[in-house]
Amino acid sequence: MARVLTPRAEDFPRWYQDLIAKAQLADNGPVRGTMVIRPTGWAIWERMQADMDLRIKEEGVQNAYFPLFIPESYLRREADHVEGFSPELAVVTHAGGKQLAEPLVVRPTSETVIGEFMAKWVDSYRDLPLLLNQWANVVRWELRPRTFLRTTEFLWQEGHDAHASEELAREHARNIHRNVYQAFMEELLAIPVVPGRKTKGERFAGATNTMTVEAMMGDTKALQMGTSHELGQNFAKAFDITYSSKEGTVEHAWTTSWGTSTRMVGGLIMVHGDDNGLRLPPRLAPIQVQIMVVKAGEGVVEAASKLRDELKGAGVRVKLDDRADIPFGRRAVDAELQGIPIRIEVGPRDLANGSVTIARRVDGSKTPTPLGDVLGAVTSALKADQQRLYDEALAFRAANTVEVKTLDEAIEAAQTGWARVPWSAVGEDGEKTANGKAVTVRCLTRPDGSMPDSDEEPGLVAYLARSY
Amino acid sequence: MARVLTPRAEDFPRWYQDLIAKAQLADNGPVRGTMVIRPTGWAIWERMQADMDLRIKEEGVQNAYFPLFIPESYLRREADHVEGFSPELAVVTHAGGKQLAEPLVVRPTSETVIGEFMAKWVDSYRDLPLLLNQWANVVRWELRPRTFLRTTEFLWQEGHDAHASEELAREHARNIHRNVYQAFMEELLAIPVVPGRKTKGERFAGATNTMTVEAMMGDTKALQMGTSHELGQNFAKAFDITYSSKEGTVEHAWTTSWGTSTRMVGGLIMVHGDDNGLRLPPRLAPIQVQIMVVKAGEGVVEAASKLRDELKGAGVRVKLDDRADIPFGRRAVDAELQGIPIRIEVGPRDLANGSVTIARRVDGSKTPTPLGDVLGAVTSALKADQQRLYDEALAFRAANTVEVKTLDEAIEAAQTGWARVPWSAVGEDGEKTANGKAVTVRCLTRPDGSMPDSDEEPGLVAYLARSY
């Protein structure tokens, strides 16, 4: 097959941008750092949203919507928060033909404005927990933008909760992290992740604890796929979110926030893509099966349509491509670029034998299949290929992760993969040394992989890697 | 029942704001004119979105996403457009800690940025029609904001298409207007609408034709519930959207755009609300049935839970309210405020007789019903009440619309309802006279109610009304 993309091994960043352009996932927007999400890319995000939204609701969270514009003064109320975000803000100074009395910040995240309303809505312990989520656009001015991974405007969900105690806040943040984020990424995106705790230096601005799910990309770098924050009482104190307890005392609530974004589309590409394009996990794929009329011929379109109806009736997301006037090779290349899990090629010659060809994107296999066996073959292929993508990514991560004992070894190993090293061998000073060499501590976990309660626990393991 | 809201008849605008506050649909945001959509309000919008999104896709339209920030120069490219929107723009002048070289407009609508990308994506007649839609937030600085109806930031869908001819563009715009907008409003929202053509003076900035769907609110004013615009070649010329035709010539495309917004939530309230709160059409209602434990008692919660499972299993959207520690009356008032179509009251006394009480929001009826008959009664009540809300709104509109012959009569009639008057008796001069008296021409239709092809057709009927 002719070379469609810059090969991954030759230039990974270029391959990534090539793929996005040629699969028509996104374009650069007119303002530097912004992006246009094209229909093919949007369909992926739309399915991500729908699946994650269900998981979020299963945790008892309700969706709501808060304004895009935040008075600048709100951000100043929490000292760490404003310091963390100030350099990234976009500011509206004029509106309705006039200069505004107070500049408005385009939300970089909504802790502050949501904090203001939590304070209004929470009165008694009966109003807690208050569990909210919104799907929204946010803006953070990026110096080094990259499509999907780091854009000036991006789309995300941001969850915001208020709880009656630190323990309840912590438990909820962990439930979201495990039941929503980790499960979503592993089950739907077929991306294995390492859940862990961020170091103090990598925490969200204003948080007392940040948890992350980290995934290994195809170039062995790490991508932070989502984060959940315990905010302690910092925002509750800044915005006066108080409640009267059962005992009649007035207490500050404990809040958390948690977010995932269109960045996950970038992660999906970099984990599953190959030199022919994207490979979509079947559970995620907007189109699971593309039935392709290879060329016109007696009964070909009819047979293809019948197959489409049969698969559709069985709940498969299927599309019929009967554009026989466009060369088959070009259409097949496009389907590969877009990562459609299965192509069913329907041509006059095969049909004469009562069969079609099933081409699987994951391994490139092509199997002639009798018409009567297609539904069964498709159903089992979709299931197997979902698992296979996950297994491949897991094996790749294992093959590129090494256990080391010292900081120097970890920094060395992180040049070509991930290093697992005792956190005691790194520490905050070691972290700075690593950062100076473009290596970061991605997260801390307990030796058994579970989530630490503090950075101070003995025996913690640090993951060091280069990252996006 | 105690007075919960300002009565509609006493002060309609106040009733409207009361209802929004007490049903917890929305709050005012911190920046004037913005709003916070609370979970109860959001759930309604979310269901509107889901239903309309399906209808849009059935018309062959694909979703995409375009950036929030538009370079100011883009808006200037279409003269009428910039003139129409300039006074309403919010402008970002600073970002990333610096003053920007070119100010960025927060999108008030996306014709310009989408035009730019259509020009890139459209090459040949084979690329047409290009049918796009996005769900997004937009900002228009409002001098007289009103929750849901006219907010500085609002949420909407905006469709944008490019076609190979004026006829194809017109046909598509009309299909959207009828099959998506009118059908959605009548079938899902139970709101009868008058589809018609806007006069020249009421057209969208940059359009050659604007079509509207107008609904009568409970105070007899009109609300524009959605619009579809034929943009001619205005934007195609401004953004150079050209295609090579089958014949090999290079032609400008014909574009259309069409939008509906969170304003529809305001319309829903003002059409169906009564002095006890909102009344939600059952097909739209996020919760169709609330099963209420009247008070604790032997087997009450169990019976209520069983009923919940039975209804849920039958596909009814049901919620169990077993908060027996909160007075039943208060919970019932809240359910009425929120417009939940059916309450099933489960109490120890009724249960002893093997029955529960079905309370219908639409007519306030309460019917003791044997447990075994509940599912059947609920199913038929949901269907009947959807129709009843529509019928009531239609009858109300008919009762408050009069046929008149002259402009003066029309302006007079429009003080207390809608006037249907020959357009020839009004004309552009008459329109200005009416506008001076706070009456507008809502739309023009043919005598048989169908959509005119131009304002010049003989025999057109004008609808005059006060409006939001």
Side-chain angles (χ1 to χ4, degrees), chain B residues 45-363:
Chain B
W45 175 241
E46 198 168 86
R47 281 196 53 81
M48 286 187 182
Q49 279 191 294
D51 184 278
M52 189 178 285
D53 194 65
L54 283 179
R55 293 176 198 258
I56 289 171
K57 284 175 177 152
E58 274 167 22
E59 295 296 321
V61 178
Q62 293 184 299
N63 284 336
Y65 187 78
F66 293 83
L68 173 71
F69 294 148
I70 302 179
E72 206 176 39
S73 57
Y74 276 38
L75 268 88
R76 292 211 200 93
R77 289 202 221 163
E78 215 287 332
D80 289 340
H81 195 66
V82 69
E83 198 186 318
F85 280 107
S86 277
E88 301 180 42
L89 300 178
V91 185
V92 174
T93 54
H94 290 73
K98 288 183 189 168
Q99 175 149 14
L100 296 169
E102 180 179 2
L104 304 177
V105 164
V106 182
R107 64 180 162 220
T109 180
S110 303
E111 277 75 9
T112 58
V113 62
I114 294 181
E116 174 83 359
F117 284 87
M118 283 183 163
K120 286 185 189 172
W121 298 339
V122 172
D123 187 30
S124 121
Y125 69 91
R126 282 198 193 85
D127 301 320
L128 298 175
L130 179 60
L131 311 177
L132 300 172
N133 178 63
Q134 76 173 357
W135 292 93
N137 53 347
V138 286
V139 169
R140 299 179 187 176
W141 216 254
E142 288 290 350
L143 297 180
R144 290 172 300 134
R146 197 177 297 200
T147 317
F148 286 120
L149 298 176
R150 204 174 274 284
T151 49
T152 291
E153 178 191 7
F154 58 94
L155 305 181
W156 77 343
Q157 61 67 219
E158 49 177 324
H160 297 269
D161 314 306
H163 301 266
S165 75
E166 185 171 18
E167 292 66 37
L168 290 167
R170 172 170 298 178
E171 190 189 335
H172 184 77
R174 287 174 182 224
N175 284 344
I176 293 289
H177 207 66
R178 184 180 53 244
N179 304 345
V180 179
Y181 290 167
Q182 184 176 358
F184 168 84
M185 289 165 199
E186 297 187 342
E187 293 166 13
L188 192 80
L189 308 188
I191 297 179
V193 291
V194 173
R197 182 183 176 95
K198 285 285 183 191
T199 62
K200 223 171 259 165
E202 297 280 339
R203 264 183 213 152
F204 176 76
T208 59
N209 177 31
T210 289
M211 292 176 287
T212 179
V213 271
E214 298 283 326
M216 184 183 280
M217 304 294 104
D219 60 355
T220 75
K221 285 191 189 173
L223 181 71
Q224 175 180 301
M225 296 281 285
T227 48
S228 311
H229 316 290
E230 293 178 66
L231 304 171
Q233 294 181 308
N234 294 343
F235 286 85
K237 286 181 175 162
F239 288 89
D240 208 25
I241 310 172
T242 59
Y243 70 96
S244 56
S245 71
K246 265 183 194 162
E247 295 73 27
T249 59
V250 175
E251 308 287 346
H252 280 103
W254 298 77
T255 67
T256 80
S257 67
W258 32 281
T260 54
S261 73
T262 35
R263 156 176 273 213
M264 291 188 293
V265 179
L268 184 80
I269 296 167
M270 291 199 292
V271 169
H272 296 311
D274 66 18
D275 285 349
N276 295 324
L278 184 52
R279 299 186 302 167
L280 283 171
R283 283 186 63 179
L284 173 66
I287 300 166
Q288 295 176 306
V289 175
Q290 181 151 313
I291 299 178
M292 307 184 70
V293 170
V294 177
K295 57 180 178 179
E298 204 188 317
V300 174
V301 172
E302 292 72 11
S305 304
K306 209 177 142 196
L307 216 45
R308 188 254 327 261
D309 296 343
E310 184 190 2
L311 293 176
K312 201 173 172 183
V316 177
R317 295 186 292 279
V318 60
K319 186 182 167 183
L320 176 62
D321 173 12
D322 56 1
R323 298 169 297 163
D325 57 330
I326 299 177
F328 173 74
R330 210 172 101 194
R331 292 182 283 138
V333 164
D334 284 345
E336 296 234 306
L337 273 167
Q338 292 178 14
I340 296 169
I342 292 177
R343 300 192 309 277
I344 302 181
E345 304 174 357
V346 185
R349 211 177 315 165
D350 279 354
L351 259 195
N353 300 323
S355 75
V356 295
T357 296
I358 294 185
R360 291 161 74 168
R361 178 66 182 87
V362 163
D363 61 4

Side-chain angles (χ1 to χ4, degrees), chain A residues 231-370:
Chain A
L231 305 171
Q233 295 181 307
N234 294 343
F235 286 86
K237 285 181 176 163
F239 288 89
D240 209 24
I241 311 172
T242 58
Y243 69 96
S244 56
S245 71
K246 265 183 195 163
E247 295 73 28
T249 58
V250 174
E251 308 286 345
H252 281 103
W254 299 77
T255 67
T256 79
S257 67
W258 33 282
T260 55
S261 74
T262 35
R263 156 177 274 212
M264 291 189 292
V265 178
L268 183 82
I269 296 167
M270 291 200 292
V271 169
H272 296 311
D274 66 17
D275 286 348
N276 296 323
L278 183 52
R279 298 187 302 168
L280 283 171
R283 282 186 63 181
L284 173 65
I287 300 166
Q288 295 176 305
V289 175
Q290 182 151 313
I291 300 178
M292 307 184 70
V293 170
V294 177
K295 56 179 178 182
E298 204 189 316
V300 174
V301 172
E302 292 72 11
S305 304
K306 208 176 142 196
L307 216 47
R308 188 253 329 259
D309 296 341
E310 184 190 0
L311 294 175
K312 201 174 170 182
V316 177
R317 294 186 292 279
V318 60
K319 185 184 168 182
L320 176 62
D321 173 12
D322 57 2
R323 298 170 298 162
D325 57 330
I326 299 176
F328 172 74
R330 210 173 101 194
R331 290 183 283 139
V333 164
D334 283 344
E336 298 232 304
L337 273 168
Q338 292 178 14
I340 295 169
I342 292 177
R343 299 194 309 278
I344 302 181
E345 304 174 356
V346 185
R349 211 178 316 166
D350 279 355
L351 258 196
N353 300 321
S355 75
V356 295
T357 297
I358 294 184
R360 290 162 73 169
R361 178 66 182 86
V362 163
D363 61 2
S365 67
K366 290 196 170 202
T367 313
T369 307

Side-chain angles (χ1 to χ4, degrees), chain B residues 405-436:
Chain B
K405 296 283 179 215
T406 68
L407 176 64
D408 286 347
E409 289 172 308
I411 292 173
E412 170 67 24
Q415 301 309 316
T416 56
W418 287 10
R420 276 170 54 96
V421 58
W423 174 229
S424 59
V426 183
E428 291 189 18
D429 286 343
E431 188 177 6
K432 278 180 201 137
T433 306
N435 293 353

Side-chain angles (χ1 to χ4, degrees), chain A residues 27-31 34-39 42 46 53 57 62-69 71 74 87 89-97 100 104 106-107 113 117 121 126 132 137 139 141 153 155 325, chain B residues 27-31 34-39 42 46 53 57 62-69 71 74 87 89-97 100 104 106-107 113 117 121 126 132 137 139 141 153 155 325:
Chain A
D27 265 2
N28 290 323
V31 175
T34 64
M35 68 174 162
V36 172
I37 307 179
R38 300 185 68 172
W42 184 263
E46 198 169 87
D53 194 64
K57 285 174 176 153
Q62 293 184 299
N63 285 336
Y65 187 78
F66 294 83
L68 174 70
F69 294 147
Y74 277 38
L89 300 178
V91 185
V92 173
T93 55
H94 290 73
L100 296 169
L104 304 177
V106 183
R107 65 180 161 220
V113 62
F117 284 88
W121 298 338
R126 283 197 192 85
L132 300 172
N137 53 346
V139 169
W141 217 253
E153 178 190 5
L155 306 181
D325 57 330
Chain B
D27 265 2
N28 289 325
V31 174
T34 64
M35 67 175 161
V36 172
I37 306 179
R38 301 185 68 170
W42 184 264
E46 198 168 86
D53 194 65
K57 284 175 177 152
Q62 293 184 299
N63 284 336
Y65 187 78
F66 293 83
L68 173 71
F69 294 148
Y74 276 38
L89 300 178
V91 185
V92 174
T93 54
H94 290 73
L100 296 169
L104 304 177
V106 182
R107 64 180 162 220
V113 62
F117 284 87
W121 298 339
R126 282 198 193 85
L132 300 172
N137 53 347
V139 169
W141 216 254
E153 178 191 7
L155 305 181
D325 57 330

